[in-house]
Amino acid sequence: MLAGNLRGSLGLAVTALLLSLGTQPALAQRGPQNVPHDGYLLCFGSYFDGDFRTALGRFREAARDGFASSEGRWIDSICFHTMLGECYYQMGDLTSALDQYNSACKQFLADRDWMLRCEFPAGIGAEQNITTTISWGRSTRITTLGHYQDAYQSLQGNLDNQAVVQRGGVVAPAQLLPVRVSEIVRCTAVALSRRREIMGPLCEHDQLTLLMVDALSRRPAPPNNWSQCWVELELGMALAAANKIPQAASELQKSLLAGGQFEHPLTCLGLLELGKLAYEQGKYDAAITLFHEATISAAYFDRFEVMEEGFRLGSLAHLASAGKGVYPPLLPAAAWSREVPMLQTSLFTCLADNLITLGNLPAAAAAVADGTKALGRNEMALGAIGSRLNYQAARIALQSGNARAGGTALAAAMTYQKASSKRLFQIGLADAWFVSNSVTERVADLLFTDVLRESSRLDWITDPLDTLAVGTVPHPLPYEHWFELSLVRKEQEKALNIADRIRRHRFHSTQALGGRLLALRWVLEAPKDALSAEAVLQRQDLLLKYPKFAELSKRAAAVKGELDALPLVPADAAQQKKQAELLTDLAQTSAGQELLLQLIALERAPAEVAFPPLRETKDIQKQIPDGTLVFAYLATTRNVHGFALSKDRYGHFAVAQPTKVRADVAEMLKGMGHYDRTQPVSTDDLAPNAWRPAAERLLKALTNDTKPADWAKYSQLVVVPDGPLWYLPFEALPLASGAAPQPLLSTMEVRYAPTLGLAFPDGRIPRRLTRTAVVAGKLFPREVDSLSEAAATEISSIEDTTLLTSPLAGPAGILAATCDRLVLMTEVEDPEKLPFGWSPLQIDAGKPGSSLAEWSLLPFSGPEQFVFPGFHTPAEYGLKKGGTGEEVFLSVCGLMASGSRTILLSRWRVGGQSTIDLMREFAQELPHVPAATAWRRSVQLTSDRILDPAAEPRVKVGRAADGMKVDHPFFWSGYLLVDTGVSPTTADPPKPAAVAVP
């Protein structure tokens, strides 16, 4: 939706100013002066009106008519292919556009020496009839406008047709025909330039590019003639496409003047391309000058499309260089362009961009309204220009506090951009080249490294809309192919890093604006010791640029401090009232911060992506303690890959096909009795240990057949699961030790991490955790009330623990900011709402502020530790109802995104006294020892106890119930401990008691 209703009080002033500047006199000819034939010329009216689809049809019709007449010639097809490509380009159909540009280049190669047959005069004179008025500035170039013919005679056909008569074929008598040379050269140059723009880093590796460089390097034009400037222009474009930038700049510079003296119809293209090269190198002042000169030169020859691009890129260079005020040419040029809707709409859009950046919202709204008026009902509303105008409308609406209008306009802009992003197109093209073996492994790696890069500062400054689009569109297969390529090239360290990029991409593509808002939350609100030095500097810059956010941040911190001083559940009425008021205040303050984040997200404001962190393998290895082994897995479409890391070594191994791994995991789960989460499991089914054969196969496959002697070197195992491995209890895998196999947990601590970067602590200093919130309820529907009461009593008896009941004093996500630890002793309902729709607190499920997605919003600080023994996953059904593991991965990442570092959740919920015992022992040890140590100890203590079937609602008493202990993996291995390995702050940690091993 275009924000045409946003015109402010300054809007009339802007319009009046435009009128006072005057306009270009009525344009008698709204199109290029050098064209193949009149039918082609008439198409430009639709093109410059912005009716690109109409223009597309008319160019096609003109091509058919032209080639059917005596006036049509093969060389004209370069022009038609290029202009068809331009129409597709403006509508965002990059595939069709590239096809047309390629066809134009191939047509050129079919008769690359065509200009040698043209008769050019030895010299040219100055143009005497100059009527164009330039109102937006003066040229600093001292040149003279040359006078050129509309067409030049070209020798067509054959001088000798005798051979054709003898062999057969079409006799083509030699004849001189007029050729619109300038337009044909222009279209060839445009095709070369657009190919470079669309293909990006792939263009230099394309065979067609190399052929064009080779053909044009022969300079196929009459030697020592002024027309060489047009070949120099084409060659400069080709060299730029081949990434030979210094040589390209040299040729383009020479192409600017015909005969070294006169400006020509294509000078503007050379200036525009030189400006692009300067802009790409960060030479913004030079780029601004070149773009400005391109618009002036283009105006003399009615090259409105060059003017549009020159003004737009000049405006971007002005913003990128932090230029003061509005880019000067925009206002007078907007008045000049009143009869060219495409140009005027683009100029108003650029003007709005400048004014928003300056904070002049009323004037910016007026510019958007004027742009909308110029847009009219033209088809460009559905293309690139309309998308850019929508984007500016979204920025204005959000900065004006109208989130609904901003969201609508942004959605419209993003719909176009996600389908028409050049970088997404390049990602797809690079992947297609790799799959088809069109490039070498070395080149493929270079291309993937470029197109799959992390969005940089330059990306955000240059094109924030496209950068947002890239983040929101999942593209897992190119990442997967890059990963496999690195393994083929035996670059295991790089492959391990790419694997973490893949996991991070999966998470970010599920987040609002592709993780952009999450990145801003971390940069602006996360503890400084969790951020890099660059992110801390970005925070300072953003807070200076957005002082209102800084004020709200201080307010939120002050309110949170007051809340922390109150009991989690106050006893007296005065404190209850004060807590409710403070929670409302914090909710409103945080909502204000979130609204500001929405508008900051659309700005040219770089923000480092701090979560999940990306770390180099060598940096991770420095953090791995002695005696710790890491297994990190990545499930691709073809294989499950494993990586083993320790402090001083790492290696890769292929596990098996995903279907085989999944089948073994399902068999192991079914062997434990997991067929239906609502049905009890008989003790007779637990006794035979039917799960062991599959577990033994999995241990061998997933650890590359690690021998017992090697396992003995380690005291802790860290697992980064993927795919169905999220459902696999590694703790229970039987390790051969002594007379009988023992579960891994009996010999070492086991913990998990969603990414390798989260497997070890960040820079945050552990804080003392003193406030534990407990929610009690039923973990199993048939659980007797006495068990629920026992759970509430036993867990709440732990020091600094508070039982939460309904109704809450405020939104759950806000109240959670005052908790250090959350223990949820109740079933997590609605597992179908995973990964982000479920409520981590449950007692307020369905209410505003209750979902995990809302917990991820500000305020940033939340519980550092979560305990969810009632969580559901497809493991409870033996995977017979599906399950990819993604819902667990995303839920865990969602919890950790707000600062959590320890999460215990169940793959299947057991309930009963065994669960109460496990959670009680775990929770009371957490403040004193690392989570993995606390969990192993709680399992050891609980497993040595005699099973009481009456207190275990998931267990059905069988013949083997007498004297049975709670040491079967069914009772304890379903819990997934996700932890970063951080140690608690404590001066005197207690010594663990000697306990039996399960």
Side-chain angles (χ1 to χ4, degrees):
M1 173 182 176
L2 296 172
N5 59 342
L6 294 178
R7 183 190 298 272
S9 59
L10 288 183
L12 296 176
V14 172
T15 304
L17 177 59
L18 292 174
L19 293 173
S20 68
L21 288 169
T23 64
Q24 170 74 358
L27 301 174
Q29 180 180 343
R30 298 174 58 233
Q33 296 175 7
N34 296 281
V35 293
H37 52 74
D38 292 341
Y40 176 88
L41 170 63
L42 294 175
C43 302
F44 278 87
S46 298
Y47 183 83
F48 291 133
D49 281 340
D51 290 326
F52 300 121
R53 289 179 179 172
T54 301
L56 183 70
R58 289 182 175 176
F59 275 119
R60 285 175 175 162
E61 184 178 349
R64 289 193 298 267
D65 293 345
F67 295 133
S69 69
S70 59
E71 194 178 6
R73 292 173 297 277
W74 73 266
I75 198 68
D76 291 350
S77 67
I78 292 177
C79 301
F80 285 110
H81 282 306
T82 297
M83 290 314 301
L84 290 174
E86 286 291 272
C87 293
Y88 284 124
Y89 172 85
Q90 293 292 348
M91 295 307 298
D93 186 349
L94 300 184
T95 300
S96 297
L98 183 59
D99 287 343
Q100 294 295 332
Y101 297 135
N102 287 342
S103 295
C105 291
K106 291 174 182 177
Q107 195 67 67
F108 169 86
L109 291 172
D111 193 357
R112 64 196 70 188
D113 296 329
W114 68 274
M115 282 183 66
L116 290 171
R117 299 194 298 272
C118 295
E119 294 184 353
F120 296 104
I124 54 177
E127 176 61 58
Q128 301 299 321
N129 185 24
I130 302 175
T131 59
T132 301
T133 301
I134 306 299
S135 62
W136 57 89
R138 302 177 63 180
S139 173
T140 58
R141 301 169 63 244
I142 304 174
T143 60
T144 303
L145 200 64
H147 176 77
Y148 304 88
Q149 299 172 198
D150 289 342
Y152 297 93
Q153 295 295 319
S154 174
L155 182 64
Q156 304 291 316
N158 301 314
L159 291 173
D160 183 6
N161 284 284
Q162 188 63 37
V164 177
V165 172
Q166 293 176 353
R167 294 194 303 267
V170 178
V171 175
Q175 57 180 324
L176 288 173
L177 294 175
V179 173
R180 312 282 184 161
V181 177
S182 174
E183 179 65 7
I184 296 169
V185 173
R186 182 192 75 84
C187 289
T188 305
V190 167
L192 286 165
S193 180
R194 290 292 192 220
R195 289 182 74 256
R196 174 175 179 263
E197 181 183 345
I198 293 173
M199 297 178 72
L202 289 84
C203 194
E204 65 178 288
H205 303 288
D206 184 61
Q207 186 64 26
L208 186 56
T209 302
L210 303 180
L211 290 173
M212 290 297 289
V213 170
D214 179 70
L216 290 165
S217 295
R218 303 173 189 273
R219 303 183 185 276
N224 302 318
N225 185 268
W226 60 266
S227 60
Q228 279 287 327
C229 68
W230 288 342
V231 174
E232 289 164 350
L233 174 67
E234 294 172 319
L235 178 57
M237 297 290 192
L239 289 168
N243 200 28
K244 297 180 179 180
I245 304 304
Q247 300 94 314
S250 175
E251 293 296 331
L252 290 169
Q253 192 65 45
K254 290 187 294 183
S255 77
L256 299 181
L257 296 176
Q261 182 180 1
F262 294 102
E263 197 111 343
H264 56 84
L266 306 184
T267 297
C268 58
L269 278 179
L271 289 166
L272 184 67
E273 196 71 12
L274 284 169
K276 292 179 182 179
L277 298 181
Y279 183 84
E280 292 164 5
Q281 297 172 53
K283 300 176 181 178
Y284 298 124
D285 290 341
I288 290 170
T289 300
L290 288 163
F291 290 138
H292 179 64
E293 294 289 352
T295 63
I296 293 174
S297 179
Y300 288 119
F301 296 94
D302 291 345
R303 292 269 39 124
F304 304 127
E305 78 285 1
V306 176
M307 295 177 67
E308 186 277 328
E309 202 165 358
F311 284 125
R312 176 165 50 84
L313 295 178
S315 176
L316 287 178
H318 175 79
L319 293 172
S321 64
K324 295 181 179 179
V326 172
Y327 180 49
L330 292 179
L331 277 170
W336 186 95
S337 64
R338 292 179 68 186
E339 294 191 20
V340 189
M342 179 188 77
L343 175 56
Q344 189 173 54
T345 304
S346 180
L347 285 164
F348 278 124
T349 304
C350 294
L351 180 60
D353 193 359
N354 278 245
L355 291 168
I356 296 168
T357 303
L358 293 172
N360 191 343
L361 295 187
V368 168
D370 287 333
T372 304
K373 183 179 179 181
L375 190 72
R377 295 187 178 183
N378 295 325
E379 294 159 351
M380 60 181 164
L382 302 175
I385 293 175
S387 175
R388 290 195 290 269
L389 190 59
N390 271 315
Y391 189 67
Q392 303 309 325
R395 293 175 66 195
I396 293 169
L398 288 173
Q399 294 206 30
S400 301
N402 191 341
R404 184 173 182 178
T408 301
L410 179 61
M414 290 291 287
T415 297
Y416 169 85
Q417 198 64 35
K418 287 191 286 188
S420 309
S421 163
K422 295 185 185 70
R423 188 169 157 201
L424 287 173
F425 179 83
Q426 291 160 13
I427 290 172
L429 188 59
D431 194 50
W433 282 10
F434 170 75
V435 171
S436 63
N437 294 316
S438 299
V439 289
T440 64
E441 292 177 355
R442 183 189 68 83
V443 170
D445 183 60
L446 289 173
L447 294 177
F448 280 135
T449 301
D450 193 321
V451 299
L452 293 174
R453 68 187 182 277
E454 295 292 310
S455 295
S456 66
R457 177 180 180 275
L458 185 60
D459 290 324
W460 284 112
I461 290 175
T462 301
D463 196 344
L465 178 58
D466 193 63
T467 306
L468 285 173
V470 172
T472 57
V473 177
H475 35 271
L477 281 180
Y479 272 110
E480 182 178 311
H481 294 153
W482 187 23
F483 168 81
E484 292 173 343
L485 174 62
S486 298
L487 290 178
V488 170
R489 290 167 57 84
K490 301 188 183 303
E491 296 176 336
Q492 295 181 2
E493 187 173 334
K494 184 174 183 177
L496 189 55
N497 182 267
I498 295 171
D500 242 25
R501 287 174 181 263
I502 292 173
R503 297 184 190 97
R504 187 158 90 152
H505 174 67
R506 288 176 186 167
F507 176 60
H508 283 169
S509 61
T510 66
Q511 298 297 292
L513 298 182
R516 169 71 163 164
L517 293 172
L518 179 62
L520 286 168
R521 289 187 197 110
W522 274 76
V523 166
L524 286 167
E525 290 292 301
K528 286 186 178 181
D529 45 17
L531 303 175
S532 68
E534 177 64 23
V536 173
L537 290 176
Q538 289 172 351
R539 171 182 290 187
Q540 295 172 359
D541 291 341
L542 287 170
L543 293 179
L544 284 174
K545 188 173 181 180
Y546 301 97
K548 186 176 180 181
F549 188 94
E551 293 173 8
L552 290 174
S553 182
K554 290 179 181 178
R555 173 64 182 166
V559 174
K560 186 177 181 303
E562 292 187 64
L563 281 168
D564 289 343
L566 293 173
L568 194 55
V569 178
D572 64 81
Q575 286 186 330
Q576 290 174 2
K577 181 180 179 181
K578 183 177 181 181
Q579 184 191 47
E581 292 173 349
L582 289 172
L583 287 171
T584 300
D585 191 351
L586 183 57
Q588 293 174 347
T589 303
S590 298
Q593 288 180 286
E594 285 292 332
L595 184 59
L596 285 173
L597 287 182
Q598 292 279 348
L599 68 91
I600 296 172
L602 305 189
E603 302 303 309
R604 294 179 175 85
E608 183 178 285
V609 180
F611 180 89
L614 279 182
R615 300 177 183 176
E616 296 295 329
T617 303
K618 60 179 181 296
D619 295 328
I620 291 174
Q621 284 188 289
K622 292 177 182 178
Q623 283 193 277
I624 299 179
D626 292 331
T628 295
L629 176 63
V630 181
F631 279 110
Y633 301 95
L634 181 71
T636 68
T637 55
R638 293 192 291 184
N639 288 295
V640 174
H641 297 269
F643 293 88
L645 294 90
S646 64
K647 192 174 186 64
D648 54 2
R649 65 178 63 184
Y650 64 85
H652 163 266
F653 56 97
V655 178
Q657 293 182 345
T659 53
K660 173 59 177 172
V661 173
R662 179 186 175 85
D664 280 343
V665 172
E667 181 181 335
M668 179 179 173
L669 292 171
K670 291 173 182 177
M672 287 184 175
H674 298 298
Y675 290 93
D676 190 326
R677 76 177 195 179
T678 62
Q679 297 301 316
V681 178
S682 172
T683 55
D684 292 340
D685 293 332
L686 296 178
N689 290 327
W691 56 274
R692 280 190 182 274
E696 290 170 353
R697 292 196 303 272
L698 285 166
L699 178 66
K700 184 176 181 179
L702 294 174
T703 64
N704 203 26
D705 198 16
T706 300
K707 304 303 180 185
D710 293 320
W711 282 112
K713 301 174 184 177
Y714 302 105
S715 58
Q716 185 179 88
L717 173 65
V718 180
V719 181
V720 181
D722 198 27
L725 296 183
W726 279 103
Y727 309 125
L728 174 65
F730 279 78
E731 301 87 339
L733 296 182
L735 181 65
S737 177
Q742 297 294 320
L744 277 175
L745 193 63
S746 69
T747 61
M748 62 182 64
E749 297 170 357
V750 180
R751 59 184 177 88
Y752 299 80
T755 72
L756 191 56
L758 288 169
F760 298 96
D762 54 25
R764 281 178 285 174
I765 299 173
R767 71 174 190 256
R768 190 168 183 82
L769 308 180
T770 60
R771 293 161 68 98
T772 298
V774 176
V775 176
K778 288 189 176 183
L779 287 168
F780 195 71
R782 291 192 293 271
E783 192 173 77
V784 295
D785 292 340
S786 58
L787 276 176
S788 302
E789 294 169 0
T793 301
E794 294 189 34
I795 303 297
S796 299
S797 66
I798 299 172
E799 184 181 2
D800 298 323
T801 297
T802 303
L803 184 66
L804 296 182
T805 57
S806 183
L808 297 175
I814 304 298
L815 183 63
T818 67
C819 303
D820 297 322
R821 184 184 299 111
L822 172 63
V823 181
L824 189 69
M825 295 298 293
T826 187
E827 184 178 17
V828 177
E829 297 290 352
D830 298 325
E832 65 273 10
K833 291 185 178 180
L834 297 178
F836 304 119
W838 64 286
S839 170
L841 210 55
Q842 286 299 297
I843 55 177
D844 68 332
K847 296 181 179 179
S850 66
S851 69
L852 176 57
E854 293 166 296
W855 278 48
S856 299
L857 306 179
L858 296 178
F860 180 86
S861 59
E864 284 211 9
Q865 298 171 341
F866 288 95
V867 179
F868 295 116
F871 198 80
H872 293 286
T873 80
E876 295 179 309
Y877 294 95
L879 307 188
K880 69 181 179 182
K881 291 190 175 183
T884 63
E886 201 72 353
E887 80 286 352
V888 182
F889 166 73
L890 294 175
S891 294
V892 166
C893 285
L895 290 166
M896 300 185 82
S898 59
S900 172
R901 292 190 275 188
T902 300
I903 304 166
L904 182 73
L905 55 81
S906 56
R907 300 180 180 92
W908 60 84
R909 56 99 169 85
V910 176
Q913 189 60 48
S914 61
T915 297
I916 296 173
D917 293 342
L918 283 167
M919 299 307 114
R920 183 191 64 248
E921 297 294 345
F922 180 58
Q924 69 184 12
E925 290 299 312
L926 266 180
H928 311 296
V929 297
T933 304
W935 178 243
R936 182 166 181 254
R937 181 176 183 273
S938 69
V939 172
Q940 289 172 332
L941 287 170
T942 304
S943 298
D944 196 44
R945 295 170 183 166
I946 301 298
L947 174 69
D948 178 5
E952 300 294 336
R954 288 269 349 241
V955 175
K956 183 171 66 175
V957 178
R959 294 185 301 275
D962 292 342
M964 186 176 184
K965 289 186 177 181
V966 192
D967 60 354
H968 191 283
F970 172 82
F971 296 102
W972 54 264
S973 70
Y975 300 99
L976 179 78
L977 176 63
V978 178
D979 182 61
T980 63
V982 65
S983 295
T985 299
T986 177
D988 187 20
K991 295 180 180 179
V995 293
V997 173

